[in-house]
């Protein structure tokens, strides 16, 4: 791992402090920033998703010849039609819920997304997608930079990472983003009760405000404590949310239910980060009958479909955009362990009430022979067609109402798929 | 003042902090003698496991079954945490933790292949208690201060690693590059020293490094996985790299017979382990682990430590001894310049607050909320360290662990504070001496004193002492200052 988050933190972050938010149900700041306004939920598939098993080119003979053990039989894919080049595509058989969303016109599938000279390292790749910078993938994340454009003071719950640590994409020099993996355990414990416990909480809050400029490390840790204390009460209100539909019992679904709760209760959060892992399928990937990948697809499909239905039931679908990606796609040919190694271009998806559903981009030809411009690495990997930063640009400009050029450090608007 | 002496610094870094008993022993020693006691830990008894389940030590929790640290992963976690608190061989556990992060291997994938009982055994099975090779963590305890080259070779042959990075599916006809990539990117010299073609060549080097089973796997008492070099799966052709593999500058591992092909991997591991870039990368990691996370690795430190490492034949013991004796380590600038890992925070707080009537399982259960589950690092790169430990949720989990422990030790804390009950300031001084946070600014001390007085007039009566000392212990342990070691 060549580029550590730590080196960024050492080199650049100035100390920040959290402004004290009143422990109201919906803070004044959040109210002023428009609690019911648009939000984005970034859904990250950790490990390098095998895009060719998610969106399957089931009429490409090389898909079957190069994947004798893991190809999904053509008869079992969930058909979604053809792309603009006429290539027929199908979703993984477990993606029946996503097909319903697709049919409703609320799911965009963006094929062959990536960037030139795609990194095969999980960590470098993750940071490149997180910073939108393939050359210097360190420092602030693209979502962190977006949050910093919100009117000051930014509410402490403007961003919400449903992870233990704030991931690179939400890192900001000026905006502290809380990491809240589970709203139910996000509460303040005390060895005492009554007045002593209240005194303790008040003292802890005051101590966490200590932010000496000469001690940036201590200031950082205190800011984490202060961020927690400033958000406890609003998060507690979210924790009781159970949804209008039954969510599956897995980490991703519970994180999405928390996001839905946050939207319903009006925390004013603009950027959510949720992720689910296990996509580094070097072995025993399986095909339609089972195996690791089918389980991953069930988790993804069932969770996202529940979230979609819940938001629809709450009338919040048109305020929400889910953007899905992974750090890279995988090798076209399966390896000796019925899995796939690290590859290049992947697939992004966008879901929401305002999304222009459909298939964007064209599928690669998986023929390894000759001069096939849709492949790279001697025909081993799918090469990218749509720069992922152009998708970010579209989302920033057309959905979040921000200006993508300064956030992305360049103009990627041209050629962006018109997903929203 | 306690916590700010050279010996306190040494025990925070080369150990997991100090109990009053530890301080009684180490307080008598010179720093040099203390370093030797920590580094040459084989001189101390290896009897920590015999304390498990006995009076005077942390409790363990069993769930309707015998304590089974070789086959039940949560029991493996309890045993490791217990050792971190109670082992006299503190540096052995400290380095096992370092290597666990360095060679980051996750139980879930291993158990997904081998089953839960064999999975726990592969991660943490103790030699002598179960047959077959040691679990991976026991390998770190065994080789952790030996030669890095030997450790790297042992890890390459470790069955848990063979499962984790898919070496078991790396064959002549279908090379699988996972291990070949990570041994360079993560275990030795890091990105920038090789190209993709080297990754493919490295994968071919390790073709045939595989597993076999012995006995019946369903019976953990007799069945197990072990390493085997499977000659029939080995790619016997030459492998050429973009860098020198041999001291004479030769970049090509020669074609060998299948029977002799295991030497490919041994040559490659030796080349990586003895390369100056590996020496420098390890020196930088040791800087972060032992010296400072608030200052960049000092260039002179890196060169000096790398030299010690290379000249000693990649000997970790010699390297660590040199680090602890170095001016960079001993400088007061390094004091409290390290963000504690969650397990370090938990273990230090147990050593300082106490554990009578407390189960180590409560610490085990609290650690995931702080972002660290032993035997379950987030990915092959290990945990994100330093500031990345301190999200709002994970900081809250630390504060709440402090609350739970302080509540559990409420009566003991009040009893110990009785001699100081005359004034709040004396109680505060006593607890700060005992808990050794980074020295507090005057304003922060005033907040703590105000907390002691907030309950009305100070009488120092038992009830008040119990309430306020436990609350105070919680505030200190949950403070930002306490999170630095």
């Amino acid at each position: 791992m060549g580029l550590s988050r730590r080196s960024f933190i050492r080199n650049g972050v100035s100390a920040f402090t959290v402004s004290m938010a009143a422990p109201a149900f919906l803070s004044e700041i959040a109210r002023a920033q428009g609690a019911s306004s648009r939000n984005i939920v970034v859904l990250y598939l950790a490990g390098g998703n095998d895009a060719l098993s998610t969106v399957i080119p089931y009429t490409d003979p090389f898909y079957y010849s190069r994947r004798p053990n893991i190809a999904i039989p053509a008869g079992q894919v969930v058909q979604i039609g053809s792309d603009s080049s006429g290539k027929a595509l199908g979703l993984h058989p477990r993606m029946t819920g996503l097909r319903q969303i697709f049919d409703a016109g609320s799911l965009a599938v963006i094929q062959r997304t990536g960037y030139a000279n795609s990194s095969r390292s999980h960590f470098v790749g993750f940071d490149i997608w997180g910073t939108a910078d393939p050359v210097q993938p360190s420092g602030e994340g693209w979502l962190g930079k977006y949050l910093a454009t919100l009117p000051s003071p930014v509410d402490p719950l403007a961003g919400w990472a449903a992870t233990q640590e704030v991931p690179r994409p939400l890192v900001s020099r000026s905006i502290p983003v809380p990491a809240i993996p589970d709203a139910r355990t996000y509460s303040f414990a005390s060895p005492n009760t009554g007045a002593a416990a209240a005194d303790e909480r008040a003292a802890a809050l005051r101590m966490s405000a200590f932010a000496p400029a000469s001690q940036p490390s201590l200031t950082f840790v205190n800011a984490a404590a202060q961020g927690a204390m400033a958000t406890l009460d609003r998060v507690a209100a979210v924790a009781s949310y159970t949804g209008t539909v039954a969510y599956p019992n897995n980490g991703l679904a519970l994180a999405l239910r928390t996001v839905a709760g946050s939207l319903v209760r009006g925390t004013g959060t603009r950027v959510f980060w949720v992720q689910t892992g296990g996509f580094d399928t070097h072995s025993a990937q399986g095909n339609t009958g089972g195996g690791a990948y089918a389980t991953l697809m069930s988790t993804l499909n069932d969770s996202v479909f529940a979230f979609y239905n819940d938001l629809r039931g709450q009338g919040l679908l048109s305020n929400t955009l889910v953007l899905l990606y992974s750090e890279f796609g995988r090798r076209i040919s399966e390896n000796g362990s019925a899995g796939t190694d690290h590859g290049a271009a992947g697939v992004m998806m966008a879901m929401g009430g305002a999304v222009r559903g459909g298939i964007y981009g064209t599928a690669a030809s998986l023929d390894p022979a000759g001069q096939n411009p849709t492949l790279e690495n001697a025909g081993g990997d799918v090469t990218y067609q749509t720069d992922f930063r152009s998708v970010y640009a579209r989302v920033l400009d057309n959905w979040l109402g921000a200006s993508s050029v300064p956030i992305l450090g360049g103009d990627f608007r041209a050629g962006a798929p018109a997903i929203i | 003042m306690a916590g700010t002496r050279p010996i306190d610094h040494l025990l925070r870094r080369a150990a997991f902090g100090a109990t009053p008993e530890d301080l009684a022993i180490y307080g008598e020693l010179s720093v040099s003698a203390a370093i030797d006691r920590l580094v040459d830990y084989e001189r101390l008894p290896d009897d920590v496991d015999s304390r498990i389940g006995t009076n005077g030590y942390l409790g363990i929790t069993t769930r309707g079954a015998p304590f089974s640290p070789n086959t039940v992963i949560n029991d493996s976690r309890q045993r490791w945490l217990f050792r971190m608190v109670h082992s006299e061989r503190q540096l052995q556990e400290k380095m096992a933790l370092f290597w666990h992060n360095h060679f980051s291997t996750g139980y879930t994938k291993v158990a997904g292949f081998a089953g839960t009982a064999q999975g726990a055994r592969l991660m943490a099975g103790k030699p002598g208690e179960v047959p077959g090779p040691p679990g991976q963590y026991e390998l770190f305890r065994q080789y952790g201060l030996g030669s890095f080259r030997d450790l790297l070779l042992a890890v390459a042959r470790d069955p848990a690693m063979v499962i984790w990075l898919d070496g078991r599916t790396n064959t002549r006809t279908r090379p699988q590059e996972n291990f070949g990539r990570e041994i360079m990117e993560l275990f030795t010299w890091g990105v920038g020293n090789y190209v993709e073609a080297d990754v493919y060549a490295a994968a071919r080097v390790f073709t045939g490094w595989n597993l076999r089973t012995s006995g019946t796997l369903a019976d953990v008492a007799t069945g197990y996985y072990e390493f085997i070099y499977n000659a029939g799966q080995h790619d016997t052709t030459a492998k050429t790299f973009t860098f020198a593999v041999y001291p004479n500058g030769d970049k090509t591992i020669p074609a060998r017979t299948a029977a002799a092909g295991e030497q490919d991997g041994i040559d490659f591991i030796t080349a990586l382990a003895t390369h100056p870039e590996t020496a420098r990368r390890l020196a930088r990691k040791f800087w972060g682990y032992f010296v400072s996370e608030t200052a960049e690795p000092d260039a002179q430190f890196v060169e000096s430590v790398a030299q010690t490492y290379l000249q000693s034949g990649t000997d970790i013991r010699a390297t660590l001894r040199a680090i602890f004796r170095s001016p960079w380590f001993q400088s007061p600038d390094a004091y409290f310049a390290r963000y504690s890992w969650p397990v370090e925070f938990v273990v230090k707080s147990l050593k300082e607050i106490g554990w009578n009537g407390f189960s180590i399982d409560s610490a085990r259960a609290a650690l995931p909320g702080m972002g660290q589950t032993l035997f379950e690092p987030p990915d092959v790169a290990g945990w994100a360290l330093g500031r990345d430990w301190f999200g709002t949720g994970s900081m809250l989990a630390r504060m709440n662990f402090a609350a739970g422990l302080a509540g559990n030790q409420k009566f003991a804390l009040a009893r110990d504070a009785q001699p100081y009950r005359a004034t709040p300031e004396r109680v505060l001084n006593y607890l700060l001496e005992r808990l050794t946070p980074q020295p507090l600014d005057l304003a922060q001390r005033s907040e703590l004193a105000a907390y002691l007085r907030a309950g009305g007039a100070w009488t120092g009566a038992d009830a008040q002492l119990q309430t306020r000392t436990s609350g105070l212990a919680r505030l200190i342990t949950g403070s930002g200052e306490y999170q630095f070691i």
Side-chain angles (χ1 to χ4, degrees), chain B residues 54-77:
Chain B
T54 65
N55 279 337
Y57 297 88
L58 270 158
I60 46 137
T61 299
T62 56
R63 292 172 184 79
F67 185 61
S68 308
N70 298 311
T71 52
V72 175
I73 196 69
N74 276 340
D75 288 357
S76 315
R77 293 178 175 125

PDB file of all heavy atoms in Angstrom, chain B residues 54-77:
ATOM      1  N   THR B  54      -7.691 -18.549  36.758  1.00  0.00           N
ATOM      2  CA  THR B  54      -7.268 -18.600  38.162  1.00  0.00           C
ATOM      3  C   THR B  54      -7.525 -17.257  38.835  1.00  0.00           C
ATOM      4  O   THR B  54      -7.682 -16.227  38.170  1.00  0.00           O
ATOM      5  CB  THR B  54      -5.777 -18.961  38.299  1.00  0.00           C
ATOM      6  OG1 THR B  54      -5.004 -17.904  37.721  1.00  0.00           O
ATOM      7  CG2 THR B  54      -5.460 -20.267  37.579  1.00  0.00           C
ATOM      8  N   ASN B  55      -7.536 -17.282  40.151  1.00  0.00           N
ATOM      9  CA  ASN B  55      -7.824 -16.077  40.941  1.00  0.00           C
ATOM     10  C   ASN B  55      -6.737 -15.026  40.754  1.00  0.00           C
ATOM     11  O   ASN B  55      -5.566 -15.348  40.620  1.00  0.00           O
ATOM     12  CB  ASN B  55      -7.935 -16.425  42.423  1.00  0.00           C
ATOM     13  CG  ASN B  55      -9.300 -16.991  42.736  1.00  0.00           C
ATOM     14  OD1 ASN B  55     -10.269 -16.743  42.007  1.00  0.00           O
ATOM     15  ND2 ASN B  55      -9.383 -17.784  43.792  1.00  0.00           N
ATOM     16  N   GLY B  56      -7.176 -13.774  40.774  1.00  0.00           N
ATOM     17  CA  GLY B  56      -6.205 -12.690  40.704  1.00  0.00           C
ATOM     18  C   GLY B  56      -5.966 -12.196  39.283  1.00  0.00           C
ATOM     19  O   GLY B  56      -5.280 -11.209  39.095  1.00  0.00           O
ATOM     20  N   TYR B  57      -6.501 -12.915  38.322  1.00  0.00           N
ATOM     21  CA  TYR B  57      -6.309 -12.523  36.922  1.00  0.00           C
ATOM     22  C   TYR B  57      -7.669 -12.218  36.292  1.00  0.00           C
ATOM     23  O   TYR B  57      -8.721 -12.508  36.868  1.00  0.00           O
ATOM     24  CB  TYR B  57      -5.594 -13.636  36.147  1.00  0.00           C
ATOM     25  CG  TYR B  57      -4.211 -13.890  36.701  1.00  0.00           C
ATOM     26  CD1 TYR B  57      -4.016 -14.798  37.741  1.00  0.00           C
ATOM     27  CD2 TYR B  57      -3.113 -13.165  36.222  1.00  0.00           C
ATOM     28  CE1 TYR B  57      -2.758 -14.991  38.280  1.00  0.00           C
ATOM     29  CE2 TYR B  57      -1.852 -13.364  36.759  1.00  0.00           C
ATOM     30  CZ  TYR B  57      -1.672 -14.276  37.785  1.00  0.00           C
ATOM     31  OH  TYR B  57      -0.431 -14.466  38.329  1.00  0.00           O
ATOM     32  N   LEU B  58      -7.615 -11.645  35.093  1.00  0.00           N
ATOM     33  CA  LEU B  58      -8.849 -11.386  34.357  1.00  0.00           C
ATOM     34  C   LEU B  58      -9.650 -12.660  34.197  1.00  0.00           C
ATOM     35  O   LEU B  58      -9.083 -13.744  33.991  1.00  0.00           O
ATOM     36  CB  LEU B  58      -8.510 -10.873  32.961  1.00  0.00           C
ATOM     37  CG  LEU B  58      -8.374  -9.364  32.808  1.00  0.00           C
ATOM     38  CD1 LEU B  58      -7.543  -9.059  31.577  1.00  0.00           C
ATOM     39  CD2 LEU B  58      -9.745  -8.705  32.688  1.00  0.00           C
ATOM     40  N   GLY B  59     -10.957 -12.520  34.233  1.00  0.00           N
ATOM     41  CA  GLY B  59     -11.800 -13.665  33.965  1.00  0.00           C
ATOM     42  C   GLY B  59     -11.918 -13.925  32.478  1.00  0.00           C
ATOM     43  O   GLY B  59     -11.568 -13.084  31.647  1.00  0.00           O
ATOM     44  N   ILE B  60     -12.371 -15.114  32.144  1.00  0.00           N
ATOM     45  CA  ILE B  60     -12.745 -15.417  30.764  1.00  0.00           C
ATOM     46  C   ILE B  60     -14.207 -15.832  30.798  1.00  0.00           C
ATOM     47  O   ILE B  60     -14.739 -16.168  31.855  1.00  0.00           O
ATOM     48  CB  ILE B  60     -11.880 -16.533  30.152  1.00  0.00           C
ATOM     49  CG1 ILE B  60     -11.770 -17.696  31.154  1.00  0.00           C
ATOM     50  CG2 ILE B  60     -10.501 -16.028  29.780  1.00  0.00           C
ATOM     51  CD1 ILE B  60     -11.924 -19.024  30.528  1.00  0.00           C
ATOM     52  N   THR B  61     -14.830 -15.805  29.652  1.00  0.00           N
ATOM     53  CA  THR B  61     -16.244 -16.182  29.575  1.00  0.00           C
ATOM     54  C   THR B  61     -16.391 -17.401  28.675  1.00  0.00           C
ATOM     55  O   THR B  61     -15.873 -17.411  27.554  1.00  0.00           O
ATOM     56  CB  THR B  61     -17.077 -15.014  29.013  1.00  0.00           C
ATOM     57  OG1 THR B  61     -16.930 -13.901  29.902  1.00  0.00           O
ATOM     58  CG2 THR B  61     -18.544 -15.397  28.913  1.00  0.00           C
ATOM     59  N   THR B  62     -17.049 -18.394  29.180  1.00  0.00           N
ATOM     60  CA  THR B  62     -17.356 -19.558  28.343  1.00  0.00           C
ATOM     61  C   THR B  62     -18.868 -19.621  28.192  1.00  0.00           C
ATOM     62  O   THR B  62     -19.607 -19.084  29.005  1.00  0.00           O
ATOM     63  CB  THR B  62     -16.852 -20.861  28.985  1.00  0.00           C
ATOM     64  OG1 THR B  62     -17.432 -20.960  30.292  1.00  0.00           O
ATOM     65  CG2 THR B  62     -15.344 -20.861  29.121  1.00  0.00           C
ATOM     66  N   ARG B  63     -19.288 -20.240  27.123  1.00  0.00           N
ATOM     67  CA  ARG B  63     -20.720 -20.256  26.827  1.00  0.00           C
ATOM     68  C   ARG B  63     -21.218 -21.691  26.777  1.00  0.00           C
ATOM     69  O   ARG B  63     -21.431 -22.244  25.708  1.00  0.00           O
ATOM     70  CB  ARG B  63     -20.976 -19.545  25.509  1.00  0.00           C
ATOM     71  CG  ARG B  63     -20.703 -18.053  25.612  1.00  0.00           C
ATOM     72  CD  ARG B  63     -20.754 -17.361  24.277  1.00  0.00           C
ATOM     73  NE  ARG B  63     -20.386 -15.960  24.422  1.00  0.00           N
ATOM     74  CZ  ARG B  63     -19.136 -15.524  24.530  1.00  0.00           C
ATOM     75  NH1 ARG B  63     -18.132 -16.379  24.482  1.00  0.00           N
ATOM     76  NH2 ARG B  63     -18.883 -14.246  24.686  1.00  0.00           N
ATOM     77  N   GLY B  64     -21.344 -22.279  27.920  1.00  0.00           N
ATOM     78  CA  GLY B  64     -21.899 -23.625  27.998  1.00  0.00           C
ATOM     79  C   GLY B  64     -20.985 -24.691  27.432  1.00  0.00           C
ATOM     80  O   GLY B  64     -21.408 -25.811  27.179  1.00  0.00           O
ATOM     81  N   ALA B  65     -19.707 -24.336  27.197  1.00  0.00           N
ATOM     82  CA  ALA B  65     -18.757 -25.306  26.666  1.00  0.00           C
ATOM     83  C   ALA B  65     -17.397 -24.992  27.275  1.00  0.00           C
ATOM     84  O   ALA B  65     -17.173 -23.880  27.751  1.00  0.00           O
ATOM     85  CB  ALA B  65     -18.692 -25.202  25.151  1.00  0.00           C
ATOM     86  N   PRO B  66     -16.479 -25.942  27.273  1.00  0.00           N
ATOM     87  CA  PRO B  66     -15.153 -25.647  27.822  1.00  0.00           C
ATOM     88  C   PRO B  66     -14.478 -24.532  27.027  1.00  0.00           C
ATOM     89  O   PRO B  66     -14.747 -24.368  25.836  1.00  0.00           O
ATOM     90  CB  PRO B  66     -14.383 -26.971  27.655  1.00  0.00           C
ATOM     91  CG  PRO B  66     -15.409 -28.011  27.401  1.00  0.00           C
ATOM     92  CD  PRO B  66     -16.590 -27.330  26.786  1.00  0.00           C
ATOM     93  N   PHE B  67     -13.613 -23.776  27.699  1.00  0.00           N
ATOM     94  CA  PHE B  67     -12.826 -22.745  27.034  1.00  0.00           C
ATOM     95  C   PHE B  67     -11.958 -23.415  25.972  1.00  0.00           C
ATOM     96  O   PHE B  67     -11.178 -24.315  26.271  1.00  0.00           O
ATOM     97  CB  PHE B  67     -11.961 -22.036  28.085  1.00  0.00           C
ATOM     98  CG  PHE B  67     -11.177 -20.877  27.552  1.00  0.00           C
ATOM     99  CD1 PHE B  67     -11.819 -19.776  27.005  1.00  0.00           C
ATOM    100  CD2 PHE B  67      -9.784 -20.868  27.632  1.00  0.00           C
ATOM    101  CE1 PHE B  67     -11.089 -18.693  26.534  1.00  0.00           C
ATOM    102  CE2 PHE B  67      -9.055 -19.785  27.163  1.00  0.00           C
ATOM    103  CZ  PHE B  67      -9.702 -18.694  26.610  1.00  0.00           C
ATOM    104  N   SER B  68     -12.114 -22.988  24.713  1.00  0.00           N
ATOM    105  CA  SER B  68     -11.482 -23.711  23.599  1.00  0.00           C
ATOM    106  C   SER B  68     -10.748 -22.764  22.657  1.00  0.00           C
ATOM    107  O   SER B  68     -11.164 -22.566  21.508  1.00  0.00           O
ATOM    108  CB  SER B  68     -12.548 -24.491  22.810  1.00  0.00           C
ATOM    109  OG  SER B  68     -13.322 -25.285  23.668  1.00  0.00           O
ATOM    110  N   PRO B  69      -9.670 -22.168  23.127  1.00  0.00           N
ATOM    111  CA  PRO B  69      -9.001 -21.152  22.301  1.00  0.00           C
ATOM    112  C   PRO B  69      -8.345 -21.706  21.048  1.00  0.00           C
ATOM    113  O   PRO B  69      -7.938 -20.916  20.181  1.00  0.00           O
ATOM    114  CB  PRO B  69      -7.953 -20.567  23.256  1.00  0.00           C
ATOM    115  CG  PRO B  69      -7.715 -21.622  24.270  1.00  0.00           C
ATOM    116  CD  PRO B  69      -9.022 -22.350  24.427  1.00  0.00           C
ATOM    117  N   ASN B  70      -8.221 -23.012  20.928  1.00  0.00           N
ATOM    118  CA  ASN B  70      -7.639 -23.565  19.704  1.00  0.00           C
ATOM    119  C   ASN B  70      -8.675 -23.841  18.626  1.00  0.00           C
ATOM    120  O   ASN B  70      -8.309 -24.101  17.476  1.00  0.00           O
ATOM    121  CB  ASN B  70      -6.889 -24.865  20.010  1.00  0.00           C
ATOM    122  CG  ASN B  70      -5.738 -24.629  20.954  1.00  0.00           C
ATOM    123  OD1 ASN B  70      -4.929 -23.725  20.750  1.00  0.00           O
ATOM    124  ND2 ASN B  70      -5.665 -25.425  22.022  1.00  0.00           N
ATOM    125  N   THR B  71      -9.944 -23.791  18.993  1.00  0.00           N
ATOM    126  CA  THR B  71     -10.973 -24.177  18.023  1.00  0.00           C
ATOM    127  C   THR B  71     -12.173 -23.235  17.962  1.00  0.00           C
ATOM    128  O   THR B  71     -13.014 -23.388  17.077  1.00  0.00           O
ATOM    129  CB  THR B  71     -11.513 -25.595  18.333  1.00  0.00           C
ATOM    130  OG1 THR B  71     -11.915 -25.637  19.702  1.00  0.00           O
ATOM    131  CG2 THR B  71     -10.447 -26.653  18.095  1.00  0.00           C
ATOM    132  N   VAL B  72     -12.262 -22.291  18.877  1.00  0.00           N
ATOM    133  CA  VAL B  72     -13.386 -21.331  18.867  1.00  0.00           C
ATOM    134  C   VAL B  72     -12.782 -19.936  18.815  1.00  0.00           C
ATOM    135  O   VAL B  72     -12.066 -19.523  19.727  1.00  0.00           O
ATOM    136  CB  VAL B  72     -14.265 -21.490  20.122  1.00  0.00           C
ATOM    137  CG1 VAL B  72     -15.347 -20.410  20.160  1.00  0.00           C
ATOM    138  CG2 VAL B  72     -14.887 -22.878  20.160  1.00  0.00           C
ATOM    139  N   ILE B  73     -13.029 -19.213  17.747  1.00  0.00           N
ATOM    140  CA  ILE B  73     -12.256 -17.997  17.489  1.00  0.00           C
ATOM    141  C   ILE B  73     -12.458 -16.942  18.579  1.00  0.00           C
ATOM    142  O   ILE B  73     -11.521 -16.224  18.929  1.00  0.00           O
ATOM    143  CB  ILE B  73     -12.571 -17.429  16.078  1.00  0.00           C
ATOM    144  CG1 ILE B  73     -11.505 -16.423  15.650  1.00  0.00           C
ATOM    145  CG2 ILE B  73     -13.956 -16.819  16.009  1.00  0.00           C
ATOM    146  CD1 ILE B  73     -10.139 -17.000  15.367  1.00  0.00           C
ATOM    147  N   ASN B  74     -13.655 -16.833  19.147  1.00  0.00           N
ATOM    148  CA  ASN B  74     -13.818 -15.847  20.218  1.00  0.00           C
ATOM    149  C   ASN B  74     -13.010 -16.229  21.459  1.00  0.00           C
ATOM    150  O   ASN B  74     -12.569 -15.358  22.216  1.00  0.00           O
ATOM    151  CB  ASN B  74     -15.301 -15.665  20.563  1.00  0.00           C
ATOM    152  CG  ASN B  74     -15.969 -14.676  19.616  1.00  0.00           C
ATOM    153  OD1 ASN B  74     -15.297 -13.868  18.977  1.00  0.00           O
ATOM    154  ND2 ASN B  74     -17.288 -14.751  19.517  1.00  0.00           N
ATOM    155  N   ASP B  75     -12.809 -17.516  21.661  1.00  0.00           N
ATOM    156  CA  ASP B  75     -11.938 -17.938  22.757  1.00  0.00           C
ATOM    157  C   ASP B  75     -10.471 -17.669  22.403  1.00  0.00           C
ATOM    158  O   ASP B  75      -9.666 -17.323  23.279  1.00  0.00           O
ATOM    159  CB  ASP B  75     -12.163 -19.421  23.076  1.00  0.00           C
ATOM    160  CG  ASP B  75     -13.513 -19.662  23.764  1.00  0.00           C
ATOM    161  OD1 ASP B  75     -14.233 -18.671  24.034  1.00  0.00           O
ATOM    162  OD2 ASP B  75     -13.849 -20.835  24.025  1.00  0.00           O
ATOM    163  N   SER B  76     -10.130 -17.813  21.127  1.00  0.00           N
ATOM    164  CA  SER B  76      -8.772 -17.449  20.697  1.00  0.00           C
ATOM    165  C   SER B  76      -8.512 -15.975  20.995  1.00  0.00           C
ATOM    166  O   SER B  76      -7.435 -15.589  21.449  1.00  0.00           O
ATOM    167  CB  SER B  76      -8.590 -17.678  19.193  1.00  0.00           C
ATOM    168  OG  SER B  76      -9.097 -18.913  18.769  1.00  0.00           O
ATOM    169  N   ARG B  77      -9.537 -15.162  20.727  1.00  0.00           N
ATOM    170  CA  ARG B  77      -9.405 -13.721  20.984  1.00  0.00           C
ATOM    171  C   ARG B  77      -9.253 -13.452  22.473  1.00  0.00           C
ATOM    172  O   ARG B  77      -8.442 -12.626  22.889  1.00  0.00           O
ATOM    173  CB  ARG B  77     -10.633 -12.983  20.434  1.00  0.00           C
ATOM    174  CG  ARG B  77     -10.704 -13.028  18.925  1.00  0.00           C
ATOM    175  CD  ARG B  77     -11.954 -12.345  18.369  1.00  0.00           C
ATOM    176  NE  ARG B  77     -11.868 -12.340  16.916  1.00  0.00           N
ATOM    177  CZ  ARG B  77     -12.791 -12.838  16.088  1.00  0.00           C
ATOM    178  NH1 ARG B  77     -13.922 -13.329  16.568  1.00  0.00           N
ATOM    179  NH2 ARG B  77     -12.612 -12.810  14.789  1.00  0.00           N
TER     180      ARG B  77
END
